[in-house]
Each structure stands twice: as C-alpha cells, then as structure tokens.
Amino acid sequence: MQSLTWTGRLISRALWNSLTNNKANEPSNAKTIKKEAKLFSAVSGIPKDFSNNKMFQLNKYGDDAYFTARYKTADVLGVADGVGGWRNYGIDPGEFSSFLMKTCERLVTSGRFSCTEPTSLLARSYYELLENKQPILGSSTACIVILNKETSTLYTANIGDSGFVIVRRGKVIHRSEEQQHYFNTPFQLSLPPLSHTTQVLGDRPECADTSQFQEGLVVHGDVILLATDGVFDNVPDSLLLAELVRAQGSKDPMQLQLVANTIALMARTLAFDETYMSPFAIQARANGISTQGGKPDDITVLLAIVAL
C-alpha cells in the first residue's frame, strides 16, 4: 500500500512538473519593456562683446548659435560658431551660424532627418541656406550629435574647431577631431560675397569628421559636452574633466546647469588672462608664433547626460 501511495505521488509530481515546464516554454504575450536612452541637457554661454545689443538673442551667444531638439527616435544637439572676421566687411557673422542651427532644429522636430546621419542633417541645413532667397553671407564651424534612443547609439558630425567630449566613469573616452586647413583656420561652411568667392576657404558638409567610439554605444551616466572653440581654446582637458565628472550620472537640472555655468565662466576668465598659457597659446607656439594668454571669444557650452 505504501508502495502504491509513493508511486502515485511520483506520478502526480511528474505530471505537475510537465505542466509547469510546458507553461514556461509557451511564448509570453506580455511585451518586454525596453528602456530608451534620452539626454538631459543644460546650456550656458557668454558673448565676447557685451556692448552689442544683438549679442543677447535666443539660442545665441555673440556669433555662436546652438539648438536642442527631440523627435520620437532621437535627441539632437548642435553648436555652430560664426567666423567673426566677416564683421570687417559689414556682414553679421551670427546670422550664418544661427540660420544653420535653427534649420537643423526645424528639420529634427518635423522628422525630416535620419537618426543615424548627422552629416546629412547638417548638409540639408546648409543647402537650404544656399538656396535662401535673401543671401545669408558668412561662414561657420558646426558640430552635431544625434542620440538614437532605440539603439542607445551616438552619431556625430563635426566640421572645424567646435567639437565634443564624452566622459565615462571619470575618463575621456572619446572626443572630436579638430579640422584645420592651417593654424587658426578651421574647416568651415561658407557663402561669401561674389567678390570674395576665390579668396574664401569653403568646405562641404560631407567633409565633417564622423568618427565613432565603441560602435557609438552610450551607457547610463555618460557625460557629453558640446562647445565652441571659445571653450577648447582656453580650458585645458584636465580642468574640463574635473568639472564634467561633477555632472556624471546626475539628472538634477540644477546640478547640470551649475556645471555648464562653471565651464563657461572658467573659459571666459581664462580667455582674458594675459599671463596664462592657454591651449591656444600652446598651439600657436607649436606653429612658430610667440604668444601667451587666453583667446577672447564667444563661449557656448551645451552639456548633456545620458539616462537609460
């Protein structure tokens, strides 16, 4: 009798295990919720010249311009630096950079872009500028970063000496390559007056550097800094890194803004320090130009944190 009872228990247990295993193997109707990457950002900047009323305009700091935009599949950031030398010819350098960034923003928010092709976004903005009924003369550097939210992949395009830095766990893991024709003459998108066509350097947006790191994959807490050369010419990597680490992993908008403000103010202070050996001065000496001090310029800081 005990043998029959024990055998019955074994059979019951086997049947139960079979039923539960079959349920485990059945396809689940529940959808797996995948976390999408997103960017939390803050912006800060200081124009070189406070005396010009035009220096205080939306999404502009002097001749610098920037934008932030979101679409279903992507978060997009961009900065551009209008070449100030055009002011000597009666041309407002800020109009060119501002048009580029405003057009990029419009294209993103309307979904007329690819979330894997920042160069195409920049090119489309530039070609719209060329076709504008009212010519927008001048030239500008530009840097665009696109975060594909579905794949957590970062795509970048940089032309000239604006650029970006990515920090992870206290270390710089990637930064853009500066593009120069020769010292202090960066690659630039341009539309010169007809009388200056043969005298002005101009580059195609397709020339932009699109180098990637680790297949472009970002992780939670990565810090992304986009900035114009007013930052990189005056603030060495060591000081930048010390500030960017303070923002790592934080989604607190006050903390992000504080770090962005600190970097902008640091760049401004060092730019007007005549005894300081700035990154710009170091490069100048490497090119046979004896100089020291910072390089006064417009400053734009666009700081972002990756959140998953």
Side-chain angles (χ1 to χ4, degrees), residues 5-192:
T5 303
W6 181 249
T7 302
R9 288 176 179 173
L10 288 176
I11 293 172
S12 297
R13 186 174 298 171
L15 288 171
W16 174 253
N17 288 339
S18 176
L19 288 172
T20 54
N21 285 338
N22 286 337
K23 285 185 177 181
N25 292 329
E26 289 177 359
S28 173
N29 292 326
K31 292 183 179 180
T32 302
I33 300 176
K34 182 181 178 181
K35 290 185 177 180
E36 287 190 341
K38 63 177 66 175
L39 295 178
F40 291 87
S41 63
V43 65
S44 186
I46 305 173
K48 174 184 174 181
D49 183 4
F50 283 97
S51 63
N52 190 337
N53 291 331
K54 288 186 177 181
M55 295 297 170
F56 299 94
Q57 296 181 8
L58 185 64
N59 289 11
K60 288 185 65 177
Y61 295 106
D63 299 330
D64 289 357
Y66 72 91
F67 81 96
T68 64
R70 285 186 171 178
Y71 191 65
K72 300 173 184 178
T73 56
D75 287 348
V76 189
L77 311 173
V79 296
D81 178 6
V83 177
W86 286 110
R87 191 166 282 106
N88 298 329
Y89 299 91
I91 296 171
D92 181 355
E95 288 189 6
F96 192 101
S97 56
S98 182
F99 185 97
L100 279 179
M101 295 294 96
K102 285 180 179 178
T103 305
C104 284
E105 181 179 11
R106 173 172 53 79
L107 292 171
V108 171
T109 55
S110 62
R112 297 163 59 195
F113 77 109
S114 167
C115 61
T116 62
E117 298 179 2
T119 302
S120 295
L121 174 61
L122 182 59
R124 188 164 186 173
S125 175
Y126 174 60
Y127 294 135
E128 280 199 22
L129 181 148
L130 296 182
E131 295 169 0
N132 199 56
K133 292 181 179 179
Q134 182 67 33
I136 300 174
L137 305 177
S139 51
S140 177
T141 65
C143 181
I144 292 178
V145 168
I146 298 178
L147 173 64
N148 184 323
K149 295 192 285 189
E150 295 178 343
T151 63
S152 299
T153 306
L154 200 68
Y155 298 91
T156 65
N158 182 64
I159 187 160
D161 56 4
S162 293
F164 66 90
V165 175
I166 303 173
V167 172
R168 177 180 298 167
R169 301 186 185 96
K171 295 182 179 180
V172 175
I173 62 169
H174 189 65
R175 68 177 304 155
S176 55
E177 291 290 335
E178 187 176 279
Q179 295 178 310
Q180 297 266 7
H181 288 285
Y182 44 87
F183 176 67
N184 204 28
T185 306
F187 280 33
Q188 54 200 267
L189 305 176
S190 65
L191 177 59

Side-chain angles (χ1 to χ4, degrees), residues 172 235-244 266:
V172 175
V235 185
D237 286 352
S238 58
L239 293 182
L240 274 180
L241 182 59
E243 289 303 319
L244 294 175
M266 183 190 305

